[in-house]
Every structure is written in C-alpha cells, then in structure tokens.
Amino acid sequence: MLPGHLVKILADIFNAAFQNCYFPEAWKEAVVIGIHKPGKPASEPASYRPISLLSTIGKLYERIVLDRLKIVAHSHNLLPPEQFRNRHSCVHQILRITEHVYSKFKLGFNTGALFFDVEKAFDKVWHNGLLYKLYTLNVPTQLVHIIREFLSNRGFKYRVEGTLSTRHTISAGVPQGSALSPFLFSLYTSDIPRFKDAHLALFADDTANCASRRDPEHVVRSLQAAADQLGEWFRKWRITVNPTKSQANLLYRKLQVEAPNASLSFSGQIIPCTNKFKYLGVILDRRLTFILHVNAVRARAAFVMGQLHWLLNKNSKMSIRNKIQIFTTCVRPIMTYASPAFAHIPPARLKRLQVLQNKFLRRAIGAPWYVRNRNLHVDTDMPTIRHFMHMASRRYFDKAVNHPNPLIRLNSKYTPFDRAKWRRPRSVLSDPEDDITLAIRLKHEQLKKLKHCTRPQLRPRRRGPRRIPRPFDPSDNSGPCADVIMLDS
C-alpha cells in the first residue's frame, strides 16, 4: 500500500483535475505492443493483436470519473436494459437468447437470429457523436468536459523489442484498456432502435436480433425489416458492420421444416445463413441441442490437458491435491463455461465431459484399470461435471430472481415442465443427483457421525505403586505376594 502522504498528494491532484475539468496530457499517452495470434503468419501486421499500456495514475483518475458517470446513468436510466453493464455477464445474455427460443418453441414458433459483426467497434467511435449523445442524455456539463479532454489529443507509440516508434495521433475511438471505454461505448449505443416484433440483445459490440413466427417466411421478413432500420442507424453514427462476417440462423422446433426461399441482406450484401453460430463463446445449433458446443469444448479441454500432461501424469512430483487444483483451474472452466445455459441437456450428452475428468483422475493418481471411477471421485472428494453444473445453475438462478434488470428476472421466474421434450435451463434444479455425488455425500455424512459420536470414558489409572507380575518360579516359596514387584509411581 502507498504511504499516507502519497495518497494525500494523489487525492489533491485528482480533486484539482476534476474541479478544473482537466485530463493531463501525460496520462493520454499509450504504449502499444503486439501479441501474435496463434495460427497466423508472423510476417503480416494483421497477425498481431495490439495491446495498449496506459498510465496507472491515469487509470485511477478514470475510475473516479467512471464512478460519477455511473451514478448519473443509474439515476436517469440512461442505459437500456438490453445493454451490458455492472452485474451483467455473458451468461446473462446467453440465457436471454436461449430462454427466448425455448419459450417460443413451446408455443410452436420458429425463431430467426441475426448476429452483426461490428468491425473495430471501440476503435471507430465518433468523438463528436459521442459528446452530442452525452449532452442529449443530460449528463452534467462538468463530466462532458472531462470526457472531451479525455478523448482529445490522444496518442500512442508502438514498441517492438524495446524500440519505440514515432508518436501517432488518435482521431477516433475510445482508448483500449481504459476503464471508461466500455461504459462510454454503452452510452454511445444506448439509442439503438428497438422493434416490437424482434428481440434485441446487446453485449458491448456483439449485437443480436431475434424474431419468432410460426411461418419461417414471416421470420425472415421481420428480421429483414429490423436489419434495414439498424443499417440506417449504423450509417448515421459511423459504425461499420461487416455483412460477410455477420451470420443468420433459423432455429426450428421440428426437424422437418422447409427453409424459407428469401435470404437476408444488409447494405446490399447477402448475410450468410448457417446451421450453427457462436455467440459469446457458446455454439448454438438449429434446435439448441448443444451437441456441437459440448464436442467443441471437450476437444479444447482435451488439448489443454494434453499440454499439461507433464504436470498431471502419475510420474509428476506434484501432489494429487495440486494436480486437482491445476485441473479445476485450467481445464474444467473450459468445459463448464456458461453451464447454466446447457446444464439441462440429457446426461448422456454431458457424459463426454465426465469421461475426460475420469481420465484425468486415473492419470493423476496412477490407478489401475480395475479401480472404479466412483472410488476415484469419492477418495479425492472431486465433484462430477454434472453436479458442478447443477450447483452453478442453482447459484445463477438464486441471484437472477433478485437481479435489478427486469429482463433477467423475467427469464428466471418460471415453472419448468416435467416432460423431457420441453426442458429449459431451470429444469436442472429439480434433477436427481448422480450416483457418484450420492456416494460422496454418504461419505461425508459418515465422517460427520464419527466426528460427533461419544467415545466411552476409560477409568482413570489408580494412584500409588504399580504391580508388575514377574515370571513364576516353582522353587520360590516366599508366599502369595512374592509374584509381584513393587515400584514407586
């Protein structure tokens, strides 16, 4: 921690800068380094991901401004409920999409989804347009002036192997790595058009639009009308969308549904229609079976576990406890990411993930083939993948029913059906536990009983000299007391 006198100096600097609506020039300079993208040629500049390094003191000042801006936005409801913010995660948006599709499946509707790929959304924010929207949203003038100072006259230098390039000026966009940038982008897109016949979901620069109808042709027409209005809004505020990387998908309740003849277009270009699409890291197929997603995360987790084989195998010097810690930190999160959205699928589909965990335990402990997987889990107290997802779903829905966003509360308060055909994410809360989880629970109950059981009280040892018998000697006739030896205690 910083000494008290340094904290006081920083507080005086921040207060003076805030009162004078000033953002120091030294805090606007950034050093950019490039991180090579896996699988890309190293000779091309586009193969490197730029990472911006900003001033630490400047980031502290940005946090102060951000706290003031959040208070204003919360009191005036500046952000739409569809947009992400504090206490909103990717899981909330994924659940909103899946719950919307499942609820329409129950009514016999087909759902079309349109996902826009915004090119460099944070890097192409129009500064004058952002300041105009802040004024129209009635943000205090002092905060608007600070944000104008924050955006103006910014620059960066590129660093390669310790050598810095010349300074380049940033004329558009919000700075990367800044605490203010995501919130400013959310305010910039707060007036995005909404539609009566479509379901809008926003998470930073990921924009999704869903429409549900019984007839697939009506679904396409609704999505096309929404795409036309969104295209006009994107062009007005200088937001670039790549139609070739955008995706459209039709989610069918039944297998035998004729595909619509019409296609979707955006800015005169055809949007490709695919059988699967990836939204916020989760692969969604046409019937929301999540089979493709389970296969993809299983393959990725197996690859990561293979890279860590030298740490997780039986010949490693690490303890079993540390091996389990590595697995639960590096491998299991890959398989259970956004698990509340797909934990309700049949156990047979989740079995592939459990098989990978079984292989890890057998490899880490060095157990022979005849040792049961149940015994491995009981001895190590490691929960199964299904039980871990079940507990994650329970924690999610317990918090979601009291969430401040009404859209999230609406998607969490419903009574799931008992029929397996209409299972929804909340159905997992009523599922019975698997055999391995019951065995682990029984083990803990038995240990608890042994811990609290009353042990018999032994009689305390009698005080005084101890009597130790000695070997019997037939030739000794000294009397009945001659067979003991008296010792002082």
Side-chain angles (χ1 to χ4, degrees), residues 304-378:
V304 174
M305 195 171 73
Q307 297 295 315
L308 299 174
H309 175 75
W310 63 283
L311 287 175
L312 304 179
N313 67 81
K314 64 179 181 179
N315 297 324
S316 175
K317 300 299 182 181
M318 299 182 66
S319 62
I320 297 178
R321 178 180 178 182
N322 290 338
K323 293 178 183 178
I324 295 177
Q325 184 67 28
I326 293 177
F327 179 83
T328 55
T329 305
C330 301
V331 182
R332 189 173 66 183
I334 300 175
M335 300 185 290
T336 59
Y337 166 72
S339 57
F342 64 93
H344 63 284
I345 64 177
R349 298 177 186 172
L350 295 176
K351 187 177 179 181
R352 296 199 64 195
L353 305 181
Q354 182 59 43
V355 168
L356 189 64
Q357 180 169 299
N358 297 342
K359 290 182 178 180
F360 156 73
L361 286 177
R362 195 169 297 275
R363 182 183 304 176
I365 300 176
W369 61 270
Y370 51 82
V371 178
R372 294 180 177 271
N373 295 322
R374 173 178 177 176
N375 297 339
L376 295 178
H377 284 79
V378 171

Side-chain angles (χ1 to χ4, degrees), residues 35 121 288 432:
I35 304 298
L288 286 188

Side-chain angles (χ1 to χ4, degrees), residues 283 291-301 334 352:
I283 301 176
I291 296 177
L292 300 177
H293 177 72
V294 170
N295 295 339
V297 297
R298 201 267 184 193
R300 184 181 175 191
I334 300 175
R352 296 199 64 195

Side-chain angles (χ1 to χ4, degrees), residues 104-335:
K104 299 303 179 182
F105 278 175
K106 176 179 172 294
L107 300 175
F109 288 7
N110 301 309
T111 302
L114 183 59
F115 300 89
F116 293 101
D117 181 75
V118 181
E119 291 184 345
K120 300 180 180 180
F122 285 74
D123 297 335
K124 294 185 178 181
V125 173
W126 184 23
H127 288 174
N128 292 335
L130 174 60
L131 296 176
Y132 170 78
K133 289 189 177 183
L134 293 179
Y135 277 115
T136 56
L137 293 174
N138 295 325
V139 176
T141 306
Q142 186 179 10
L143 286 176
V144 177
H145 289 173
I146 294 175
I147 294 173
R148 183 183 60 186
E149 288 291 324
F150 168 73
L151 296 174
S152 62
N153 197 25
R154 299 194 68 96
F156 71 93
K157 296 180 180 179
Y158 201 91
R159 186 175 68 188
V160 178
E161 297 181 356
T163 304
L164 293 176
S165 66
T166 57
R167 185 181 185 275
H168 298 271
T169 304
I170 301 175
S171 59
V174 289
Q176 184 193 60
S178 170
L180 271 172
S181 297
F183 198 79
L184 291 178
F185 184 81
S186 299
L187 292 176
Y188 187 65
T189 58
S190 60
D191 61 340
I192 189 171
R194 294 164 185 78
F195 314 97
K196 181 180 179 181
D197 300 334
H199 186 77
L200 185 65
L202 302 173
F203 194 87
D205 56 342
D206 291 315
T207 304
N209 202 5
C210 301
S212 300
R213 290 288 186 278
R214 293 186 182 273
D215 188 1
E217 297 290 345
H218 294 169
V219 174
V220 174
R221 285 197 290 267
S222 299
L223 289 179
Q224 186 61 56
D228 295 338
Q229 296 186 33
L230 286 174
E232 296 178 1
W233 184 84
F234 285 143
R235 286 189 294 269
K236 177 180 179 181
W237 298 106
R238 303 183 182 181
I239 298 177
T240 306
V241 176
N242 189 351
T244 58
K245 292 186 178 180
S246 301
Q247 292 183 352
N249 192 289
L250 291 177
L251 305 170
Y252 299 135
R253 184 176 62 92
K254 299 180 180 179
L255 287 175
Q256 298 178 353
V257 177
E258 295 183 2
N261 298 324
S263 58
L264 294 172
S265 61
F266 184 84
S267 298
Q269 299 186 27
I270 300 298
I271 298 178
C273 187
T274 59
N275 295 328
K276 63 177 182 178
F277 54 94
K278 192 173 184 179
Y279 181 65
L280 297 178
V282 177
I283 301 176
L284 306 177
D285 55 273
R286 283 195 165 185
R287 301 190 67 224
L288 286 188
T289 59
F290 292 98
I291 296 177
L292 300 177
H293 177 72
V294 170
N295 295 339
V297 297
R298 201 267 184 193
R300 184 181 175 191
F303 173 78
V304 174
M305 195 171 73
Q307 297 295 315
L308 299 174
H309 175 75
W310 63 283
L311 287 175
L312 304 179
N313 67 81
K314 64 179 181 179
N315 297 324
S316 175
K317 300 299 182 181
M318 299 182 66
S319 62
I320 297 178
R321 178 180 178 182
N322 290 338
K323 293 178 183 178
I324 295 177
Q325 184 67 28
I326 293 177
F327 179 83
T328 55
T329 305
C330 301
V331 182
R332 189 173 66 183
I334 300 175
M335 300 185 290

